[in-house]
Amino acid sequence: MATVSKTLTRSMPSLAPREDLNPYRISQMQFDIAAEYLKLDAGLRQVLRTPKRIMEVAIPIKLDNGQVKVFTGFRVQHNVARGPAKGGMRYHPSVTLDEVKALAAWMAWKTATVNIPFGGGKGGVICDPKRMSKGELERMTRRFTSEILPIIGPDRDIPAPDVYTDSQTMAWIMDTYSMTVGHTALGVVTGKPISLGGSLGRNEATARGCLNVVEEACKIKRINLRGATVVVQGFGNAGSIAARLFLEKKAKIIALSDSRGGVHNPRGLDPLKAQRFKERTGSVVGMPGGARISNEDLLTLKCDILIPAALENAVTLENAEQIQAKIVAEAANGPTTPRADEVLARKNIFLLPDILANAGGVTVSYFEWVQNMYGYKWSEEEVNQKLEATMKRAFADVYETSRKYHVHMRTAAYILAVGRVADATMVRGLFP
Ligand code: GLU
């Protein structure tokens, strides 16, 4: 019966008003809500909602077949009032300037939510890394770095991994930058290999930070993480490691997915097996021990904790009403639209917004940068302890704000973050 009605609804033109899925406009809507609560004056609003600097570059490289191809890359610095710009580099075919602008703004609010002394930036290259060789990726990364070199640096803007970039990408950026400036500059990127000034714990940090705040949310929702059912959408750095860490806490991973589709087993799946299967076949789809499920159906499974860990716009007006999770923890950036937020709030679903739930990555990036700048070497336990303290403090701050203003957790995080950046901006004053 349920299947029939679902099919019918899908084949009928949607009666719901269409919503704006442009990530940049979404990020501005989220900002505007907070600005209204904070009663920011019009001038300050303009300053904070506009990216400080946008750079678009052409990246010509020689492909393995001898042909030349020109890629397009972006680096956006949204705000640097509280410190250097900070944020990842994304390699994906669907990268757009508006997406990078949104991601840069989200980084500015994220660093402010966890209160680390950085601003927000982001970079992206329109490319399909799955169809490029390692040599092509290296040449593209080095040329991209060289093009944006004037605006990056340990005290200007510090890139890090994001979708389809990793520690190797960071090593190439660091080397290109260092060779150009004439000295080894470890602090120019974070998420580096451990052998090259990377921090212990950085690779797992996004997922670990997500776990830290889910633990806090579970206390409020009176959910025992042991035995809690968890659904993970996306199996990259954040999603695959989150699945593993939640399993270590004895939660049950009942479904997981990647860009090609998902697997589902109400009795639980083994994320390590999924990882090995994906390494061999390129996807978790078809792994033994679970039934196939589409990404669409996976999101609406009944579960305690839903972790969107893929791309933007996973939870929209189209499916928000059907979400059955008690907690939604956004390991991805921008997975829920503002209209879907309203639906989740009405359904009393506890939302851990991206700028809090996935801030563990940039938090340990900050620890990496501090270690690089001072020549420290911290143990993994030390890093994890500092991360947990930061995440729990941020959760408490956001939760308290949500109680004070009677708003849901996303708006609370924005009120906190925008308020912090606004204070820094006002006390600095306008130059000249
Ligand atoms: N790309 C990650 C994010 O979206 C990490 C950024 C960083 O470490 O600077 O938060």
Side-chain angles (χ1 to χ4, degrees):
M1 202 50 200
T3 327
V4 174
S5 68
K6 213 174 194 177
T7 318
L8 273 178
T9 329
R10 269 198 209 128
S11 57
M12 283 192 313
S14 173
L15 294 177
R18 285 186 48 199
E19 64 180 326
D20 191 348
L21 295 180
N22 176 292
Y24 182 54
R25 285 195 295 271
I26 287 178
S27 73
Q28 293 197 315
M29 280 182 231
Q30 294 162 332
F31 167 83
D32 288 340
I33 296 170
E36 207 51 45
Y37 276 103
L38 290 164
K39 302 187 176 64
L40 298 186
D41 79 59
L44 187 56
R45 273 185 213 208
Q46 269 184 63
V47 172
L48 298 182
R49 85 201 286 279
T50 314
K52 173 193 166 58
R53 178 184 275 150
I54 296 173
M55 192 171 195
E56 175 174 334
V57 295
I59 311 163
I61 66 153
K62 200 169 252 179
L63 300 175
D64 290 346
N65 66 11
Q67 280 174 357
V68 170
K69 183 168 170 147
V70 180
F71 294 91
T72 302
F74 310 102
R75 186 75 193 173
V76 176
Q77 296 167 352
H78 185 83
N79 187 290
V80 295
R82 300 174 58 262
K86 184 82 196 81
M89 291 289 201
R90 175 171 296 201
Y91 290 175
H92 197 277
S94 67
V95 162
T96 62
L97 177 57
D98 270 1
E99 184 193 37
V100 180
K101 280 158 74 180
L103 290 162
W106 287 329
M107 285 309 305
W109 313 134
K110 192 186 301 185
T111 53
T113 301
V114 285
N115 215 0
I116 56 176
F118 285 141
K122 202 81 172 198
V125 178
I126 309 167
C127 65
D128 190 353
K130 284 185 182 169
R131 302 175 64 172
M132 292 169 71
S133 70
K134 194 168 176 189
E136 290 170 338
L137 283 169
E138 176 170 357
R139 293 193 290 282
M140 187 182 80
T141 301
R142 287 188 182 278
R143 183 61 188 257
F144 180 39
T145 306
S146 158
E147 296 295 341
I148 61 167
L149 205 112
I151 64 164
I152 62 169
D155 51 7
R156 288 167 188 250
D157 182 359
I158 305 140
D162 195 75
V163 174
Y164 294 141
T165 57
D166 57 16
S167 60
Q168 176 63 78
T169 324
M170 296 308 116
W172 291 327
I173 298 177
M174 178 270 173
D175 183 66
T176 306
Y177 181 87
S178 297
M179 296 312 289
T180 311
V181 298
H183 60 92
T184 292
L186 292 176
V188 67
V189 283
T190 58
K192 295 179 294 296
I194 302 298
S195 57
L196 190 65
S199 177
L200 294 168
R202 172 63 185 87
N203 192 44
E204 294 185 349
T206 308
R208 192 171 288 283
C210 181
L211 171 67
N212 293 152
V213 290
V214 167
E215 284 180 320
E216 297 302 290
C218 280
K219 287 181 200 159
I220 288 160
K221 293 291 272 186
R222 295 177 196 281
I223 294 170
N224 191 350
L225 197 50
R226 211 187 162 87
T229 49
V230 180
V231 169
V232 184
Q233 183 229 11
F235 210 65
N237 170 275
S240 66
I241 300 175
R244 211 184 72 216
L245 296 181
F246 276 82
L247 182 73
E248 278 171 20
K249 293 283 173 189
K250 305 278 184 277
K252 195 156 53 158
I253 315 301
I254 60 162
L256 43 86
S257 70
D258 57 34
S259 60
R260 297 197 201 156
V263 277
H264 175 215
N265 184 346
R267 289 194 308 279
L269 293 158
D270 181 349
L272 284 174
K273 279 194 187 142
Q275 182 78 46
R276 285 195 292 269
F277 189 81
K278 190 180 165 84
E279 272 159 25
R280 256 192 318 156
T281 65
S283 174
V284 297
V285 177
M287 75 171 261
R292 268 175 205 232
I293 185 166
S294 68
N295 263 303
E296 223 171 52
D297 291 340
L298 172 137
L299 288 166
T300 57
L301 285 172
K302 189 170 163 53
C303 62
D304 293 310
I305 302 153
L306 171 64
I307 306 181
L311 296 171
E312 297 90 86
N313 300 330
V315 182
T316 67
L317 214 45
E318 295 282 320
N319 61 0
E321 205 64 62
Q322 284 87 52
I323 302 286
Q324 299 188 68
K326 295 182 184 128
I327 296 172
V328 173
E330 297 183 329
N333 289 310
T336 313
T337 63
R339 300 292 298 276
D341 268 353
E342 289 166 16
V343 177
L344 299 189
R346 178 165 39 74
K347 285 168 64 97
N348 202 20
I349 294 172
F350 198 98
L351 176 79
L352 288 161
D354 48 7
I355 60 171
L356 172 65
N358 72 32
V362 74
T363 298
V364 176
S365 275
Y366 165 55
F367 299 157
E368 179 172 327
W369 179 81
V370 168
Q371 291 174 81
N372 293 158
M373 301 307 263
Y374 291 90
Y376 295 151
K377 201 87 199 152
W378 296 343
S379 71
E380 192 165 349
E381 294 74 59
E382 198 171 347
V383 169
N384 289 348
Q385 265 167 25
K386 286 182 160 68
L387 170 64
E388 184 171 354
T390 305
M391 296 306 296
K392 294 203 164 160
R393 172 81 260 152
F395 178 92
D397 288 348
V398 174
Y399 189 62
E400 197 189 300
T401 309
S402 85
R403 306 289 292 213
K404 185 172 157 199
Y405 286 85
H406 307 286
V407 291
H408 62 72
M409 291 288 278
R410 175 159 356 255
T411 297
Y414 271 80
I415 292 173
L416 183 69
V418 171
R420 282 175 176 161
V421 182
D423 285 348
T425 307
M426 283 189 300
V427 75
R428 279 179 69 155
L430 204 57
F431 176 86

